[in-house]
């Protein structure tokens, strides 16, 4: 009998890869596999040589970088001294979760797949390349890929005689058991919520132990009549043991609005002050960190800090919710949304109008009333931290972190405007609210600028809030008196959304900076940063080629990075007298030497 064990390992910057990994884990258990689902860096990689079957689910970040929770795994698996037959006993499959608007689409999944083949692993199915840009999202690739995977897996690892696949109609066990406690119950963890505030010699803040920063200011930078609210948020990190360099990012853990929390509690008839104690039903399932939810904690703490009730639910939400429906119409509709055939309907109902988890519970009141409390933690994912490029330098602003923040708020066909969770939470905060503390930690960013004190010429292209990492770097260089900085900035109107413009004047006056501005709506013909680059092609060639400078792009991933890169290639062709192929090779050589870098987000 074949060894019916499988491990599902994921690497993800957000929760998407974990969601897919957990789905694969559930489907493996329905096929009677003993299954573990873990982040790659939580897995003891030395055991890989003993595993019969592993499924890898991985995202790609930045410019083809591995996510944070697979960095240790990635470094190990890429070691050149590993024997080429070290994984010869392993059957494996890799699926990547990416966004085709990024240049290095699913780069890590492709590299991981090739690397495991190099180490002797036996591929069950070709690498899957899911795309967020598809109308149906990642499931457009994940569904058929999984169907092929399970066909192959069951051929190699057939079910024991007399054993059938567990029907999808059987409700899976909940991830947590919940114990309801009386008001006087306590636990050692209640009084030891992780906090390092004030401990200068304490650990460096991290996701497991963040620093709770005080808000210093929250200034709107765009004019009051401009459609986009962009904020400069200043955070106090004095006593935090936090250090950062230009290009790093700050992670911020947001919370739900008081209005949404109140609606959720009311909808389910929950007592916000009820104390609860969570107990995982599987040893591989982690508890929320104690700084986020003490054990025991209250239901209000759980809903406010842990449950992402304003997220757009994934397909499994409807599949699980259908198990509790006794109303025929509600059950039929939920099953349709959960089926492969119903994905267009789900797209129209849920994804296009950006309907939230809370609103869907409200749309299905009968089934909501029947959901056991323990399953709320399966239905609603945990709130994920948000990453922001740091927009300040410690040399210019000791003990501070600045964030350049576009507040996400827009209309769909739904009556209530859609709001980004973190940006709106931050925008509503006031420095006068002394009790407000913002959980943060710092991570290395995708952009790495030339080292401190190095006088390398630098060209930066940062429309809108893409300016953030460049503001950090310009402050850093200016504090050292280093010039040779060129900034291309784009926005709509000079008088409405020209961010931080007053900061550039003294740098320009002191010959530390050249600024080229594209105000797209101030002219009859729209002008963008790439047009200004074309007009200044001789300067760009001088900076990049003759003076061996670096070129950076930061901003929205939709079209800007591609347009800017294409313009740079034309500059290289014209100024360097190169063919299209030679210009492509030139860009590749810049990338390899880290003299051409992109930080983009969708």
């Amino acid at each position: 009998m074949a060894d019916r064990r499988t491990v599902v390992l994921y690497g993800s910057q957000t929760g998407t890869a974990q969601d897919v990994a957990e789905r694969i884990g559930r489907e493996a258990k329905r096929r009677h596999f003993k299954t573990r689902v873990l982040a790659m860096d939580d897995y003891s990689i030395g055991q890989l040589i003993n595993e019969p079957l592993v499924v890898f689910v991985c995202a790609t970040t930045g410019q083809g970088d591995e996510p944070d929770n697979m960095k240790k795994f990635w470094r190990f698996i890429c070691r050149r001294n590993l024997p080429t037959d070290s994984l010869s006993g392993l059957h494996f499959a890799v699926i990547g979760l990416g966004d085709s608007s990024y240049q290095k689409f699913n780069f890590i999944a492709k590299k991981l797949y090739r690397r495991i083949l190099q180490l002797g692993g036996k591929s069950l199915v070709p690498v899957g390349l899911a795309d967020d840009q598809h109308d149906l999202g990642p499931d457009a690739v994940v569904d058929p890929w999984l169907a092929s995977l399970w066909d192959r897996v069951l051929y190699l690892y057939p079910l024991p005689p007399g054993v059938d696949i567990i029907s999808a109609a059987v409700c899976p066990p909940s991830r947590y058991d919940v114990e309801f406690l009386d008001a006087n119950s306590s636990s050692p963890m209640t009084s030891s919520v992780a906090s390092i505030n004030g401990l200068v010699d304490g650990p460096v803040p991290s996701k497991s132990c963040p620093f709770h920063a005080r808000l210093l200011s929250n200034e709107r930078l765009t004019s009051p009549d401009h459609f986009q609210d962009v904020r400069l948020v200043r955070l106090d990190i004095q006593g935090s043991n936090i250090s950062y360099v230009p290009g790093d990012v700050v992670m911020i853990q947001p919370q739900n609005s008081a209005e949404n929390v109140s609606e959720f509690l009311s909808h389910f008839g929950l007592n916000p002050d009820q104390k609860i104690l969570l107990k995982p039903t599987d040893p591989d399932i982690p508890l929320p960190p104690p700084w986020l939810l003490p054990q025991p904690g209250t239901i209000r703490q759980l809903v406010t800090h842990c449950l992402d009730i304003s997220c757009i639910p994934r397909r499994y939400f409807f599949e699980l919710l259908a198990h509790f429906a006794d109303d025929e119409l509600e059950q039929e509709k939920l099953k349709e949304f959960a089926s492969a055939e119903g994905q267009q309907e789900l797209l129209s109902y849920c994804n296009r109008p950006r309907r939230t988890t809370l609103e869907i519970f409200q749309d299905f009141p009968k089934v909501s009333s029947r959901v056991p409390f323990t399953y709320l933690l399966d239905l609603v994912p945990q709130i994920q931290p948000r990453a922001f490029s740091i927009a300040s330098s410690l040399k210019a602003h000791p003990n501070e972190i600045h964030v350049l923040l576009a507040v996400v708020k827009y209309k769909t066909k739904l009556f209530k405007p859609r709001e980004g969770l973190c940006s709106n939470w931050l925008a509503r905060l006031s420095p006068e609210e002394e009790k407000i503390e913002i959980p943060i930690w710092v991570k290395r960013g995708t952009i790495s600028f030339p080292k401190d004190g190095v006088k390398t010429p630098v060209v930066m292209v940062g429309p809108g809030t893409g300016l953030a990492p460049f503001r950090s770097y310009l402050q850093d260089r200016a504090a050292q008196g280093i010039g040779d900085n060129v900034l291309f900035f784009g926005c709509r109107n000079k008088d409405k959304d020209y961010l931080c413009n007053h900061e550039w004047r003294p740098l320009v006056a002191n010959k530390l900076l050249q600024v080229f501005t594209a105000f797209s709506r101030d002219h009859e013909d729209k002008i963008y940063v790439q047009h200004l680059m074309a007009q200044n092609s001789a300067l760009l060639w001088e900076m990049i080629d003759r003076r061996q400078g670096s070129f950076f792009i930061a901003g929205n991933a939709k079209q800007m990075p591609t347009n800017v890169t294409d313009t740079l290639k034309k500059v290289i062709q014209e100024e360097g007298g190169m063919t299209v192929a030679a210009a492509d090779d030139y860009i590749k050589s810049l990338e390899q030497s880290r003299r051409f870098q992109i930080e983009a987000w969708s």
Side-chain angles (χ1 to χ4, degrees), residues 13 20 116 162 203 329 430 433 537 541 543 559 564 571 589 596:
Q13 201 75 352
V20 173
I116 297 175
L329 288 176
S430 167
E433 299 176 71
S537 59
W541 184 245
M543 297 279 282
Q559 296 176 347
V564 169
V571 168
S589 71
F596 177 82

Side-chain angles (χ1 to χ4, degrees), residues 308-314 317-318 337 345-364 410 412-419:
D308 197 351
I309 58 179
S310 63
C311 73
I312 314 304
R314 302 193 185 277
F317 170 90
F318 298 94
F337 288 152
E345 279 294 311
L346 180 60
L347 188 71
S348 299
Y349 166 70
C350 185
N351 296 72
R352 285 201 183 106
R354 313 299 291 171
R355 197 173 252 108
T356 69
T357 297
L358 173 57
E359 290 168 331
I360 292 166
F361 279 133
Q362 292 167 335
D363 283 353
F364 290 85
Y410 57 94
T412 66
K413 69 178 184 179
L414 301 177
F415 174 75
K416 192 175 179 181
R418 307 294 90 187
E419 294 187 348

Side-chain angles (χ1 to χ4, degrees), residues 200-504:
V200 177
D201 297 322
V204 174
S206 63
K207 186 174 183 177
S208 61
C209 188
F211 179 75
H212 290 75
R214 184 172 61 88
L215 180 67
L216 291 172
S217 67
N218 189 349
E219 176 191 2
R220 177 167 178 151
L221 299 185
T222 49
S223 64
D225 61 338
H226 188 59
F227 82 100
Q228 179 72 74
D229 180 359
V230 177
R231 301 293 178 109
L232 181 63
V233 176
R234 294 170 53 236
L235 303 175
D236 183 2
I237 60 169
Q238 187 166 5
S240 66
N241 204 21
I242 285 177
S243 180
Y244 64 88
V245 297
D248 285 350
V249 299
V250 60
M251 305 299 296
I252 298 179
Q253 181 72 32
Q255 63 185 54
N256 290 311
S257 69
E259 178 188 358
N260 282 348
V261 170
S262 179
E263 278 189 47
F264 187 91
L265 294 170
S266 174
H267 180 76
F268 285 98
L270 298 171
N271 173 9
D273 299 317
Q274 172 66 60
K275 284 192 172 184
I276 55 172
L277 188 67
L278 302 185
K279 297 178 181 178
T281 56
D282 185 303
D284 290 328
I285 296 173
L287 283 167
W291 64 267
L292 202 58
L293 181 69
Q295 297 293 334
T298 66
I299 290 179
R300 184 187 298 281
Q301 287 173 314
L302 174 71
V303 178
T304 301
H305 299 289
C306 293
L307 300 185
D308 197 351
I309 58 179
S310 63
C311 73
I312 314 304
R314 302 193 185 277
R315 191 163 128 195
Y316 179 64
F317 170 90
F318 298 94
E319 180 184 328
L320 184 57
L321 195 58
H323 285 292
F324 307 108
D326 64 350
D327 179 87
E328 190 174 338
L329 288 176
E330 285 194 348
Q331 187 178 67
E332 183 180 337
K333 180 54 71 176
L334 290 168
K335 286 184 175 179
E336 180 186 5
F337 288 152
S339 69
E341 299 74 26
Q343 291 310 289
Q344 283 292 347
E345 279 294 311
L346 180 60
L347 188 71
S348 299
Y349 166 70
C350 185
N351 296 72
R352 285 201 183 106
R354 313 299 291 171
R355 197 173 252 108
T356 69
T357 297
L358 173 57
E359 290 168 331
I360 292 166
F361 279 133
Q362 292 167 335
D363 283 353
F364 290 85
K366 294 178 182 176
V367 67
S368 293
S369 66
R370 292 176 50 83
V371 174
F373 182 85
T374 53
Y375 278 91
L376 288 179
L377 287 92
D378 293 76
L379 287 161
V380 187
Q382 187 170 307
I383 296 173
Q384 295 296 313
R386 271 52 169 182
F388 296 92
S389 292
I390 295 174
S392 56
S393 162
L394 284 172
K395 289 184 175 68
H397 300 279
N399 299 316
E400 292 186 18
I401 282 180
H402 297 183
V403 173
L404 209 55
L405 173 79
V407 180
V408 179
K409 196 169 189 175
Y410 57 94
K411 289 286 292 181
T412 66
K413 69 178 184 179
L414 301 177
F415 174 75
K416 192 175 179 181
R418 307 294 90 187
E419 294 187 348
L421 174 62
C422 189
S423 63
N424 282 273
W425 174 62
L426 287 172
R428 294 186 186 107
L429 298 181
S430 167
E432 283 71 44
E433 299 176 71
E434 293 186 4
K435 291 183 179 179
I436 293 294
E437 291 184 331
I438 301 169
I440 66 168
W441 59 98
V442 167
K443 295 194 321 186
R444 212 177 115 197
T446 55
I447 282 183
S448 56
F449 291 105
K451 301 296 182 189
D452 254 359
V454 176
K455 299 182 179 180
T456 306
V458 174
V459 179
M460 296 161 278
V461 183
T465 55
L467 179 66
F470 304 142
R471 182 178 184 261
S472 172
Y473 192 51
L474 285 169
Q475 287 183 359
D476 210 69
R477 301 254 284 191
Q480 302 172 77
I482 300 174
D484 281 333
N485 302 301
V486 173
L487 172 66
F488 289 89
F489 176 78
C491 62
R492 292 192 169 214
N493 309 103
K494 181 179 180 180
D495 297 328
K496 294 188 176 182
D497 57 338
Y498 183 7
L499 306 179
C500 306
N501 63 87
H502 64 282
E503 299 182 25
W504 312 139

